[in-house]
């Protein structure tokens, strides 16, 4: 089995910072793309940022210049550094990883979600 466990969410004032982490564990052969998504109440889940195994990154326009995605392949962990947070960043943040497991084909795996709340 494969698990993704997120941490680092919480309540912060506008202009503040948070760092999210997502660690993959289990019967993993290799990890391809990793990313962070978010879903606010009443909205669809949207891609925030993604990073390839080689380190190429992609961001949604609303977070460019404020958020930074990174990964530590040895630790099987992806991070999201969020600076200059705004109330509109409030959402449940989910990590996703494309993982080649040792017991089956490549699959998309999701974390359980972590709440980020930005107060004005």
């Amino acid at each position: 089995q494969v698990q993704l466990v997120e941490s680092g969410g919480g309540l912060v004032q506008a202009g503040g910072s948070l760092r999210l982490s997502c660690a993959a564990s289990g019967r993993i052969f290799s990890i391809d793309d990793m990313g962070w998504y978010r879903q606010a109440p009443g909205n669809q889940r949207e891609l925030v940022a993604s990073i390839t195994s080689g380190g190429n990154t992609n961001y949604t326009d609303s977070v460019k210049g404020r958020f930074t995605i990174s990964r530590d392949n040895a630790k099987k962990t992806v991070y999201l550094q969020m600076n200059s947070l705004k109330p509109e960043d409030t959402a449940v943040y989910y990590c996703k990883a494309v993982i080649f497991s040792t017991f089956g084909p490549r699959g998309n795996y999701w974390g359980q979600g972590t709440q980020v709340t930005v107060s004005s």
Side-chain angles (χ1 to χ4, degrees), residues 2 33 88 120:
V2 173
D33 292 357
E88 50 264 43
S120 56

Side-chain angles (χ1 to χ4, degrees), residues 1-117:
Q1 289 74 20
V2 173
Q3 272 190 313
L4 296 179
V5 178
E6 298 144 348
S7 60
L11 173 64
V12 64
Q13 287 189 329
S17 298
L18 283 175
R19 189 191 194 211
L20 306 183
S21 300
C22 174
S25 63
R27 297 169 65 182
I28 297 171
F29 178 73
S30 66
I31 303 176
D32 201 346
D33 292 357
M34 305 183 83
W36 289 94
Y37 290 71
R38 66 186 179 188
Q39 187 167 19
N43 290 354
Q44 290 190 337
R45 191 173 298 188
E46 64 169 351
L47 174 67
V48 176
S50 63
I51 184 167
T52 68
S53 57
N56 293 319
T57 60
N58 179 56
Y59 298 91
T60 192
D61 286 345
S62 62
V63 308
K64 286 180 180 177
R66 300 188 298 122
F67 291 10
T68 302
I69 189 170
S70 60
R71 65 190 283 174
D72 184 328
N73 290 329
K75 294 183 178 180
K76 299 184 180 67
T77 299
V78 61
Y79 306 96
L80 186 68
Q81 178 66 44
M82 304 185 293
N83 299 329
S84 302
L85 281 160
K86 304 175 181 180
E88 50 264 43
D89 294 318
T90 295
V92 178
Y93 283 70
Y94 299 89
C95 71
K96 174 191 166 185
V98 180
I99 294 176
F100 293 85
S101 66
T102 60
F103 58 90
R106 185 178 80 165
N108 294 325
Y109 292 86
W110 291 88
Q112 80 284 2
T114 185
Q115 177 71 46
V116 171
T117 303

